[in-house]
């Protein structure tokens, strides 16, 4: 059965880059969110067993999404993909329960290795 | 607002700059051991009059300029708020008030980091390798009516506006990329390839 996956990023280019970096043979049902609020709605709708999450987003940022998921004990596997790569951002994201922090520009092999580590590939 | 760029092109360019600026902020944050808050870059195509208006703010700002050559050619102007520079100097352990020499060193260093990050966005992510010259301080020439009288040959000006803030003190900076007409076409062609 296809794995429900949501890509949350306000940039259309970034969403496209993440899609391109995913393995071609991966059986995933991909949805997109353009802000944190949409990302939370996708999780609630069962569309995000895996959530690729940007940090800088309008309405509700990635940190708030992580906090909300943590508060609700959601089982979503969150992989943060961010342009803000400062040590504090990485530490905060990890403390909020993200599975992995990947830097932009996204490297396809790093994303695929991460998916292997989660046992999704 | 923006005849030069389509929405998809603007989004792509903004995201590329965002990634480059993230790398620049990380380098700077490690240098001063302080978290730097970065705004999402704003990208607009500036008209000559808007460009002149920007340069007229030279009482409050330092300006630097540096040329770049390669697959795209043009000039990068960086605007840094004077107030913000002093605040950053404190974070970087300079003795304040700054001497003229230290101030110049700091301003040129910061400008080079910021403008360099923008150009890295073009070079690495769009495969448009360019070489950036060292920056120099630049004071716009004004007439008796305080109007900027500088003549700029650039007709296509991409204005990339990024705000950095350090601690509580707002350190504002803008990087202005001026491109030759042919380079604008090259840039757009590369962005279009990315969007295919």
């Amino acid at each position: 059965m296809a794995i429900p996956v949501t890509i949350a990023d306000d940039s259309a280019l970034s969403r496209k880059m993440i899609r391109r970096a995913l393995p071609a043979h991966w059986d995933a049902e991909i949805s997109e969110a353009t802000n944190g609020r949409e990302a939370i709605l996708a999780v609630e709708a069962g569309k995000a067993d895996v959530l690729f999450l940007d940090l800088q987003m309008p309405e509700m940022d990635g940190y708030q999404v992580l906090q909300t998921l943590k508060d609700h004990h959601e089982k979503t596997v969150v992989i943060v993909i961010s342009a803000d790569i400062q040590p504090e951002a990485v530490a905060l994201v990890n403390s909020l329960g993200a599975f992995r922090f990947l830097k932009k520009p996204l490297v396809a092999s790093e994303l695929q290795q991460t998916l292997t580590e989660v046992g999704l590939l | 607002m923006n005849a030069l760029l389509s929405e998809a092109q603007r989004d792509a360019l903004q995201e590329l700059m965002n990634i480059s600026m993230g790398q620049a902020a990380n380098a700077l944050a490690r240098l001063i051991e302080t978290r730097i808050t970065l705004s999402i870059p704003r990208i607009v195509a500036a008209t000559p009059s808007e460009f002149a208006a920007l340069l007229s703010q030279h009482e409050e700002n330092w300006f630097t300029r540096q040329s770049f050559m390669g697959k795209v050619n043009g000039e990068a102007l960086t605007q840094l708020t004077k107030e913000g520079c002093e605040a950053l100097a404190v974070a970087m352990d300079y003795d304040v008030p700054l001497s003229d020499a230290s101030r110049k060193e700091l301003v040129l260093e910061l400008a080079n980091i910021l403008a360099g990050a923008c150009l890295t966005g073009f070079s690495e992510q769009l495969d448009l390798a360019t070489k950036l010259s060292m920056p120099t301080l630049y004071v716009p020439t004004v007439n008796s009516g305080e109007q900027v009288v500088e003549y700029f040959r650039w007709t296509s000006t991409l204005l990339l506006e990024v705000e950095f803030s350090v601690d509580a003190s707002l350190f504002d900076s803008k990087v202005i990329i001026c491109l030759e007409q042919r380079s604008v076409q090259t840039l757009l062609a590369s962005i279009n390839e990315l969007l295919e």
Side-chain angles (χ1 to χ4, degrees):
Chain A
M1 207 182 88
I3 303 164
V5 173
T6 293
I7 299 172
D9 198 307
D10 57 323
S11 162
L13 177 72
S14 269
R15 294 196 301 274
K16 193 186 288 258
M17 297 304 243
I18 295 168
R19 269 183 189 269
R20 278 185 198 167
L22 294 171
H25 62 270
W26 197 34
D27 188 17
E29 174 78 35
I30 298 170
S31 307
E32 293 192 357
T34 61
N35 60 50
R37 212 170 297 284
E38 288 179 15
I40 293 292
L41 289 175
V43 171
E44 287 172 355
K47 292 179 182 173
D49 282 8
V50 179
L51 175 63
F52 296 114
L53 182 67
D54 183 26
L55 292 178
Q56 286 176 309
M57 285 188 292
E59 304 267 334
M60 184 182 196
D61 67 21
Y63 299 109
Q64 292 172 296
V65 171
L66 283 167
Q67 186 65 57
T68 305
L69 296 179
K70 198 179 177 192
D71 292 346
H72 295 183
H73 308 287
E74 293 285 357
K75 297 278 185 283
T76 301
V77 173
V78 183
I79 296 164
V80 167
I81 301 174
S82 170
D84 184 352
I85 54 174
Q86 293 176 61
E88 282 85 349
V90 179
L92 184 53
V93 157
N94 289 338
S95 76
L96 287 169
F99 178 77
R100 192 56 48 92
F101 187 105
L102 298 178
K103 293 174 183 178
K104 288 182 185 176
L106 185 61
V107 179
S109 61
E110 285 180 14
L111 180 66
Q112 295 182 12
Q113 192 192 334
T114 301
L115 292 174
T116 304
E117 284 167 13
V118 200
L120 288 167
L121 279 185
Chain B
M1 176 188 85
N2 215 328
L4 191 64
L5 298 169
S6 72
E7 176 50 30
Q9 289 169 334
R10 193 206 54 77
D11 168 79
L13 194 54
Q14 176 175 295
E15 185 64 6
L16 295 176
M17 288 301 129
N18 197 27
I19 294 169
S20 301
M21 285 300 171
Q23 292 169 341
N26 186 42
L28 203 57
R30 286 170 189 269
L31 191 68
I32 62 177
E33 296 175 345
T34 308
R35 163 123 180 113
I36 292 171
T37 309
L38 201 58
S39 72
I40 292 170
R42 197 171 70 93
I43 298 188
V44 293
T47 63
S49 64
E50 285 166 336
F51 193 50
L54 193 108
L55 290 173
S56 70
Q57 298 163 9
H58 55 89
E59 291 291 325
E60 308 85 39
N61 296 285
W62 300 113
F63 287 98
T64 67
R65 59 195 296 183
Q66 55 200 125
S67 60
F68 54 87
M69 287 182 78
K71 289 194 179 166
V72 286
N73 299 324
E75 186 169 14
L77 271 91
T78 307
Q79 175 192 331
L80 307 157
T81 48
K82 290 184 179 178
E83 206 182 336
C85 281
E86 296 285 326
L88 210 56
V90 175
M92 290 172 81
D93 292 332
Y94 275 85
D95 289 328
V96 285
L98 288 167
S99 67
D100 285 351
S102 322
R103 180 178 301 113
K104 187 178 171 192
E105 178 190 292
L106 176 70
V107 168
L108 293 180
E109 177 74 21
L110 291 171
N112 209 30
I113 289 174
L114 297 175
C118 288
L119 267 295
T120 303
F122 293 167
S123 301
E124 290 181 0
Q125 301 177 72
L126 290 173
D127 200 21
L128 296 173
T130 52
K131 193 165 162 23
L132 188 64
S133 69
M134 290 304 291
T136 51
L137 280 180
Y138 163 62
V139 181
T141 315
V142 294
N143 63 18
S144 54
E146 293 292 303
Q147 303 284 107
V148 174
V149 293
E150 208 76 32
Y151 172 73
F152 273 89
R153 65 193 178 96
W154 310 110
T155 49
S156 306
T157 307
L158 275 184
L159 203 149
L160 313 171
E161 196 174 313
V162 189
E163 277 182 22
F164 282 87
S165 69
V166 180
D167 282 342
S169 53
L170 195 69
F171 167 70
D172 247 333
S173 77
K174 285 185 190 131
V175 177
I176 302 131
I177 301 282
C178 310
L179 290 166
E180 286 181 352
Q181 192 61 47
R182 209 168 38 178
S183 297
V184 173
Q185 299 312 319
T186 309
L187 176 67
L188 292 182
S190 289
I191 289 175
N192 289 343
E193 252 174 59
L194 202 62
L195 290 170
E196 267 170 18

